[in-house]
Amino acid sequence: MGHEAIGAGTAARALEVAEQRDIEVVLLDLGLPDMGGLDLLPRLLQIDESLAVVVVTGESSIATVVEAMKLGAQGFLAKPVTVAAIEAAVAQAVREHRLRRHAAVYHARVSCQQENTSPDELVGSSAAMQRVFDLILKVASTDTAVVLTGESGTGKGVVARMIHRYSRRAHGPFVDVSCAALPGNLLESEVFGHERGAFTDAKRTKPGLMEVAHGGTLFLDEVGELDWPAQAKLLKALEEGRFRRVGGVRDLRADVRLVVATHRDLAALVGEGRFRHDLFFRLNVFEISLPPLRARGEADIVQLANHFIYALNARLGKRVRRLREPAVQALVQHSWPGNVRELRNAIERAMILVSGDEVELHHLPADLWQRGGVTAAVSSQRLDELEASHIRAVVAACQGNLKLAAQRLGVARSTLYAKMSRFGLRPGCQ
């Protein structure tokens, strides 16, 4: 069926595998030599509650089935079992596991508690962003190298942190380094470390970020800026799990998951002889392309703007509740060449200037409304469409919980009910 199967002859070995590997499905025999399967089942689910466990046993009594299901088993197969029955059970269990994990990540991502909102969070309900979310979910649980592409300011660093947060390495360090911020010789030393005396200023041995990231994720931003020697070292580290510090003679090992980002065309750099073709093919296994903000639609712009307002309130000591309609119109008409980073900066600047609880048009950077010719005379019909779309997205993100949605929107529940009634929205926002 294309799955990797790992055998465990004892409960102790099963627990060891579950701790060390990212497992989707467990076919659990109840007759293990060192522990009953029904005793092992809850211990497996303590390690990963999204595990889909299918119990396989010669005991087919109703009591055993009921007990296994109460303990969290997803399915039950009584011996003798046909290959077709196992295939069907595994296929269903895989679907169940992925749905559970998807739901867990989704709930974490769309938490509507305002106090837990962070500006550095991926937000958006557009089809383009939903595809990005889906790709993150698919790759996060693996150790596959990921290449993040897209224009500057689209949120590649935020995506890298999400991949780490939802991976089995989440307990380990997340280490990021900008390859464009340091010259080649310093960058190589920063990533791989150096030995004492390796160069003039090397007064002592310095571990590199590759070592610091052991057990976690190393994020190399603007990887296309790596010079040729650093590229060769990175390739060796990826292929063999070994590297040497600058000036070193012994191999070091580091268990690191690599995520890289670039706004440049790596294939074009390969053609120009500026990037190793073997490293390119080693890295380019799983690509996630982030769309520019202008391609994400007006609803995403409004949703992001409100997200930044909620997230920055506590940091700036403000109680801003919403954007005035002319300000909304200015935001959705801007082309956002600086993408999400530019939008966040615009909102942060506006909130510094706000003295009340609303962002006015004049609080925004002047080029957003003077150059675009936006005035206070905006189309109420157009704004109604934007407001309805934003309410629909927030209520959907809050799983229909109108209390949380009202908190996220910064309005009273009665106001939210009135607006939903006005726009013909039901609690499900379908």
Side-chain angles (χ1 to χ4, degrees):
M1 296 176 68
H3 302 301
E4 178 187 3
I6 303 171
T10 64
R13 175 58 181 158
L15 290 170
E16 181 182 343
V17 171
E19 289 277 9
Q20 296 175 352
R21 302 289 297 271
D22 184 55
I23 307 296
E24 289 187 310
V25 177
V26 175
L27 294 177
L28 176 61
D29 195 311
L30 296 187
L32 297 173
D34 55 341
M35 181 187 297
L38 292 181
D39 295 320
L40 175 61
L41 176 54
R43 295 187 60 180
L44 288 170
L45 294 176
Q46 283 178 352
I47 295 173
D48 183 355
E49 62 182 9
S50 70
L51 272 178
V53 180
V54 178
V55 171
V56 184
T57 179
E59 304 173 22
S60 56
S61 69
I62 296 298
T64 304
V65 174
V66 171
E67 182 64 19
M69 296 304 178
K70 282 182 178 179
L71 291 172
Q74 191 267 329
F76 189 95
L77 291 173
K79 299 176 183 177
V81 190
T82 65
V83 172
I86 293 179
E87 288 181 342
V90 168
Q92 177 60 36
V94 168
R95 286 193 294 271
E96 178 73 16
H97 166 82
R98 291 175 182 173
L99 283 172
R100 288 179 185 175
R101 178 162 289 183
H102 186 285
V105 174
Y106 180 78
H107 286 308
R109 172 166 56 83
V110 302
S111 170
C112 294
Q113 296 294 339
Q114 181 172 329
E115 60 271 19
N116 293 331
T117 302
S118 165
D120 299 318
E121 187 177 310
L122 208 59
V123 172
S125 55
S126 63
M129 288 309 297
Q130 290 307 308
R131 171 167 171 74
V132 171
F133 289 134
D134 288 342
L135 291 174
I136 291 172
L137 290 171
K138 286 182 170 66
V139 78
S141 62
T142 73
D143 265 346
T144 301
V146 181
V147 177
L148 306 176
T149 60
E151 296 177 7
S152 294
T154 49
K156 296 186 287 291
V158 177
V159 172
R161 285 175 174 80
M162 283 187 67
I163 291 172
H164 174 72
R165 189 185 314 146
Y166 301 132
S167 74
R168 66 182 181 86
R169 296 175 176 269
H171 64 282
F174 176 87
V175 179
D176 67 284
V177 58
S178 172
C179 299
L182 296 169
N185 58 333
L186 290 181
L187 180 60
E188 186 179 354
S189 171
E190 189 74 10
V191 175
F192 299 105
H194 62 252
E195 298 289 351
R196 179 182 178 183
F199 46 86
T200 304
D201 294 327
K203 307 298 184 185
R204 59 186 178 84
T205 296
K206 175 184 177 295
L209 296 179
M210 181 75 74
E211 295 170 73
V212 175
H214 179 74
T217 302
L218 178 63
F219 173 49
L220 299 180
D221 196 12
E222 297 304 340
V223 70
E225 304 302 322
L226 281 177
D227 65 10
W228 202 261
Q231 290 179 33
K233 278 197 169 186
L234 181 60
L235 179 63
K236 181 176 181 179
L238 282 172
E239 291 188 333
E240 303 176 18
R242 297 183 292 116
F243 65 96
R244 290 180 183 177
R245 294 176 184 149
V246 177
V249 295
R250 63 189 180 93
D251 286 340
L252 302 174
R253 293 187 176 275
D255 174 23
V256 170
R257 198 263 182 85
L258 189 67
V259 179
V260 303
T262 180
H263 74 284
R264 307 181 68 176
D265 185 342
L266 289 183
L269 293 180
V270 171
E272 296 168 8
R274 299 171 60 188
F275 200 85
R276 295 179 63 107
H277 68 90
D278 46 5
L279 178 58
F280 171 73
F281 290 119
R282 184 63 180 78
L283 289 174
N284 198 37
V285 178
F286 197 94
E287 178 182 342
I288 300 179
S289 179
L290 274 69
L293 185 54
R294 61 185 174 275
R296 291 172 54 175
E298 296 175 355
D300 268 21
I301 294 173
V302 177
Q303 190 175 350
L304 275 164
N306 280 289
H307 167 76
F308 291 139
I309 287 173
Y310 306 142
L312 292 169
N313 266 331
R315 182 178 301 178
L316 298 176
K318 302 282 186 173
R319 297 183 64 84
V320 178
R321 299 174 67 83
R322 72 186 192 102
L323 293 151
R324 291 295 299 272
E325 293 180 350
V328 171
Q329 189 71 1
L331 293 177
V332 300
Q333 288 188 1
H334 188 57
S335 61
W336 299 111
N339 293 296
V340 178
R341 184 185 294 121
E342 182 187 2
L343 174 59
R344 175 182 167 169
N345 291 342
I347 295 298
E348 186 167 358
R349 177 193 183 278
M351 290 187 64
I352 291 171
L353 297 175
V354 169
S355 56
D357 63 354
E358 294 181 325
V359 173
E360 302 273 5
L361 180 63
H362 66 271
H363 294 137
L364 296 173
D367 62 332
L368 263 67
W369 48 278
Q370 288 181 346
R371 200 175 298 170
V374 178
T375 68
V378 295
S379 165
S380 61
Q381 180 180 3
R382 184 63 175 149
L383 287 169
D384 282 352
E385 293 173 1
L386 287 170
E387 187 174 13
S389 176
H390 181 54
I391 290 173
R392 183 183 297 109
V394 172
V395 173
C398 293
Q399 301 290 294
N401 186 323
L402 298 186
K403 178 181 178 181
L404 291 178
Q407 291 176 356
R408 186 71 181 267
L409 290 164
V411 300
R413 262 188 287 177
S414 58
T415 302
L416 176 58
Y417 296 150
K419 287 182 177 291
M420 291 181 68
S421 175
R422 173 187 169 194
F423 297 133
L425 302 177
R426 295 173 295 173
C429 281
Q430 299 300 321

